[in-house]
């Protein structure tokens, strides 16, 4: 047993004793800190602090400002223009002037220590996600975070153990829902037993990586790291349809990357052959493919490509009775014995209508304040369902749809894929962050 495993077990044993050994479902969560042990108030005011208010952060801020009964008393941002834009939006929404935290990249610690908040909303660069979550949880606040949640496996265990000690969660709930219609097809057994899922983050980000006003920190990840650096967007579809952590779990993965040439060529074509990045060695391969096998024998093909010219990714689910290909322009399906032509695709439109998920079909939020949502290219005019359910979970003191175990598992694929690539695509075991409870946990969105 490693020293870290020993210390972790010692920590959990001591935490359990300190709580009188009272846990729920064997997860190590103190009973007095869970929803059904605490009073709920369905209309109580929710107080949120925002940390990071760039493109995604400003979007989330405007969503929150449009929800009745949500207050934003504190904001934290290192760029003055973003901070004061957020301050102005809050004041224009009729709320009191928020307290500003702008004393550098770690001023989130002061916010978490000084403010009385239900949760913090985190939309910073990746390296700060786990540290901010831990600062919030250790100061009696929940943490709703943009993806990815963690950069290392140790960060994952730190978040799990802090949740089990404090009852305060960290979640990727801000990432939105996956394809609930597809999930309903799977749950209704239209495709039979699922054996393989393929998708990924396939999104040309060359311009973004070289834009100093957007997310310049992304480029440094490409310089330093090689693997699947952004697994969470596809995982929000993959994990629910495969019951990961809820009847099945990830077992191990292998990962392989191509050579890296596209960022150098982009820098040369845009800025000239003498640009520093035209010849700088980039660690991140232009294409990464990661294969994941589950304990129950299902297979995932997870792709990552942010450097080559291409349309956005699609999503393919193969079952024992048929296959579904979700495409942004024209989704297709083939069901053995139902599709009109043997071994020929048909349009999925009628199935999409028939299998619309009841949760989505019945979602009729009240008209939001302030009109269309600003930030991150949005034009939505109603509160996204993931935000509606986040606020409901905070008011009712329940766990969010994606709890800390699911959130950590999703993001863990990134450092694990890096380890596999570095080891010439060797197989790498995937930790069981649920500590064996995946066998009995109820399905996501059930």
């Amino acid at each position: 047993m490693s020293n870290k495993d020993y210390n972790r077990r010692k920590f959990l044993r001591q935490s359990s004793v300190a709580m009188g050994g009272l846990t729920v479902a064997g997860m190590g969560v103190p009973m007095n800190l869970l929803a059904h042990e605490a009073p709920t108030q369905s209309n109580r005011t929710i107080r949120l602090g925002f940390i990071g208010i760039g493109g995604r952060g400003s979007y989330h801020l405007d969503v929150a400002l449009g929800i009745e009964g949500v207050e934003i008393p504190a904001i934290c941002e290192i760029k003055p223009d973003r901070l004061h834009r957020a301050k102005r939006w809050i004041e224009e929404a009729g709320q009191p002037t928020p307290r500003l935290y702008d004393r550098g990249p770690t001023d989130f610690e002061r916010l978490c220590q000084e403010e009385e908040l239900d949760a913090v909303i985190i939309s910073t660069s990746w390296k700060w996600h786990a540290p901010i979550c831990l600062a919030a949880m250790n100061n009696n606040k929940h943490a709703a975070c943009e993806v990815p949640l963690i950069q290392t496996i140790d960060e994952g265990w730190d978040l799990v153990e802090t949740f089990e000690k404090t009852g305060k969660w960290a979640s990727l709930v801000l990432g939105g829902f996956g394809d609930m219609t597809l999930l309903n097809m799977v749950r209704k057994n239209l495709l039979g037993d699922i054996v393989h899922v393929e998708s990924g983050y396939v999104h040309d980000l060359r311009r973004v990586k070289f834009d100093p006003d957007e997310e310049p920190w992304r480029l440094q990840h490409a310089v330093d790291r090689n693997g699947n650096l952004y697994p969470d967007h596809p995982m929000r579809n993959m994990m629910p349809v495969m019951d990961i952590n809820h009847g099945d779990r990830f077992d191990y993965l292998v990962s392989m990357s191509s050579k890296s040439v596209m960022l150098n060529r982009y820098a040369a074509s845009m800025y000239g052959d003498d640009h520093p990045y035209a010849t700088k060695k980039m660690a991140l391969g232009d294409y990464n493919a990661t294969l994941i096998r589950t304990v129950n024998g299902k297979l995932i093909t997870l792709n990552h490509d942010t450097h080559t010219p291409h349309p956005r990714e699609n999503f393919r689910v193969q079952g024992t009775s048929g296959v579904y290909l979700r495409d942004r322009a024209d989704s297709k399906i083939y069901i053995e014995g139902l599709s009109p032509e043997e071994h020929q695709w048909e349009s999925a439109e009628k199935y999409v209508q028939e299998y619309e998920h009841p949760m989505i079909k019945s979602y009729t939020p009240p008209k939001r304040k302030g009109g269309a949502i600003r930030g991150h290219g949005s034009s939505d005019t109603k509160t996204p369902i993931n935000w509606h359910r986040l606020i409901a979970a905070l008011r009712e003191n329940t766990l969010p749809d994606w709890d800390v175990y699911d959130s950590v598992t999703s993001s863990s694929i990134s450092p694990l894929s890096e380890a596999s690539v570095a080891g010439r695509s060797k197989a790498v075991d995937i930790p069981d962050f649920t500590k064996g409870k995946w066998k009995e946990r109820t399905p996501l969105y059930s």
Side-chain angles (χ1 to χ4, degrees):
M1 181 186 300
S2 69
N3 287 337
K4 183 167 182 62
D5 288 338
Y6 171 79
N7 290 335
R8 181 173 297 114
R9 293 185 183 185
K10 181 179 178 182
F11 170 93
L12 293 172
R13 184 169 60 251
Q14 290 173 340
S15 297
S16 178
V17 170
M19 287 297 182
L22 297 177
T23 60
V24 174
M27 298 303 296
V29 184
M31 288 181 67
N32 63 315
L33 296 174
L34 285 185
H36 62 273
E37 291 293 317
T40 62
Q41 296 174 292
S42 60
N43 62 348
R44 73 179 180 90
T45 297
I46 296 299
R47 293 167 58 85
L48 302 176
F50 277 72
I51 303 173
I53 322 171
R56 287 296 290 172
S58 63
Y59 167 82
H60 292 309
L61 173 65
D62 207 37
V63 170
L65 288 172
I67 303 175
E68 291 287 348
V70 172
E71 294 182 355
I72 303 166
I75 54 178
C76 180
E77 169 61 54
I78 60 174
K79 292 190 174 183
D81 58 330
R82 294 177 176 178
L83 186 75
H84 289 282
R85 179 185 61 186
K87 171 180 173 291
R88 185 179 74 250
W89 285 9
I90 294 169
E91 292 169 340
E92 290 172 351
Q95 295 195 22
T97 298
R99 286 171 290 281
L100 307 183
Y101 291 81
D102 59 354
R103 299 179 186 172
T106 61
D107 208 23
F108 63 84
E109 296 174 347
R110 188 167 61 96
L111 181 149
C112 290
Q113 291 166 1
E114 295 181 359
E115 296 291 335
E116 292 293 329
L117 303 168
D118 293 283
V120 296
I121 308 300
I122 304 163
S123 304
T124 63
S125 56
W126 299 347
K127 73 174 184 177
W128 296 109
H129 287 182
I132 297 172
C133 286
L134 290 167
M137 298 161 78
N138 283 314
N139 284 279
N140 200 38
K141 299 165 180 65
H142 300 299
C145 189
E146 269 291 344
V147 299
L149 193 64
I150 60 172
Q151 298 288 283
T152 69
I153 298 303
D154 282 349
E155 286 181 340
W157 282 117
D158 288 343
L159 289 171
V160 166
E161 292 165 358
T162 302
F163 166 66
E164 293 175 349
K165 175 185 176 182
T166 67
K168 295 300 177 180
W169 45 257
S171 172
L172 291 180
V173 65
L174 297 183
F177 274 24
D179 188 333
M180 299 298 284
T181 296
L182 169 60
L183 180 60
N184 201 34
M185 290 179 186
V186 171
R187 295 271 166 88
K188 297 293 186 181
N189 204 38
L190 178 66
L191 303 177
D193 296 333
I194 303 305
V195 295
H196 177 236
V197 173
E198 179 173 5
S199 187
Y201 192 68
V202 179
H203 185 12
D204 185 356
L205 293 178
R206 288 173 293 174
R207 182 190 62 79
V208 172
K209 291 187 178 187
F210 283 96
D211 187 340
D213 293 324
E214 287 207 36
E215 298 171 340
W217 44 266
R218 278 186 184 262
L219 181 59
Q220 195 60 44
H221 285 278
V223 172
D224 297 335
R225 303 170 61 199
N226 191 12
N228 189 306
L229 304 191
Y230 211 58
D232 297 287
H233 277 318
M235 280 296 161
R236 68 187 178 190
N237 284 314
M238 291 175 164
M239 288 178 60
V241 302
M242 304 188 91
D243 293 325
I244 301 303
N245 287 349
H246 302 263
D248 199 356
R249 74 170 182 88
F250 294 145
D251 191 1
Y252 63 91
L253 63 75
V254 294
S255 187
M256 183 179 294
S257 292
S258 74
K259 63 182 179 179
S260 177
V261 297
M262 294 302 297
L263 289 182
N264 296 132
R265 292 180 183 178
Y266 183 84
S269 66
M270 294 296 291
Y271 312 111
D273 292 339
D274 59 346
H275 189 276
Y277 285 108
T279 56
K280 186 175 184 63
K281 182 176 176 57
M282 303 288 178
L284 181 60
D286 293 329
Y287 198 98
N288 174 271
T290 299
L291 297 178
I292 306 172
R293 200 173 194 274
T294 77
V295 168
N296 291 341
K298 298 190 284 285
L299 178 66
I300 289 174
T301 302
L302 183 68
N303 303 309
H304 180 270
D305 178 359
T306 57
H307 296 172
T308 66
H310 51 252
R312 294 291 297 270
E313 73 282 349
N314 54 29
F315 191 85
R316 187 180 189 276
V317 182
Q318 178 68 61
T320 55
S321 299
V323 57
Y324 176 76
L325 179 64
R326 192 194 69 182
D327 185 271
R328 290 173 181 268
D330 182 23
S331 294
K332 300 176 178 65
I333 198 167
Y334 175 75
I335 307 298
E336 190 172 46
L338 288 181
S339 292
E341 299 292 335
E342 189 172 7
H343 304 308
Q344 296 292 323
W345 292 108
E346 64 172 310
S347 171
E349 182 60 30
K350 70 176 182 181
Y351 296 95
V352 169
Q353 294 180 9
E354 179 181 354
Y355 286 89
E356 183 179 12
H357 197 285
M359 185 186 299
I360 303 300
K361 186 182 297 186
S362 63
Y363 181 52
T364 54
K367 186 175 181 179
R368 57 171 263 111
K369 302 181 296 181
I373 302 168
R374 295 168 286 186
H376 203 63
S378 171
S379 60
D380 295 336
T381 57
K382 68 178 184 180
T383 300
I385 189 171
N386 61 306
W387 259 95
H388 171 81
R389 289 175 65 86
L390 167 61
I391 298 302
L394 291 170
R395 284 193 172 124
E396 298 166 10
N397 200 28
T398 59
L399 294 175
D401 292 304
W402 281 67
D403 63 17
V404 68
Y405 305 103
D406 298 324
S407 299
V408 164
T409 298
S410 174
S411 295
S412 72
I413 300 305
S414 181
L416 295 169
S417 71
E418 291 180 78
S420 179
V421 170
R424 293 177 57 84
S425 304
K426 69 178 181 181
V428 175
D429 290 335
I430 301 174
D432 174 15
F433 292 103
T434 75
K435 308 182 190 77
K437 299 305 175 183
W438 57 271
K439 297 178 183 179
E440 59 195 52
R441 279 159 49 89
T442 57
L444 278 167
Y445 307 121
S446 60

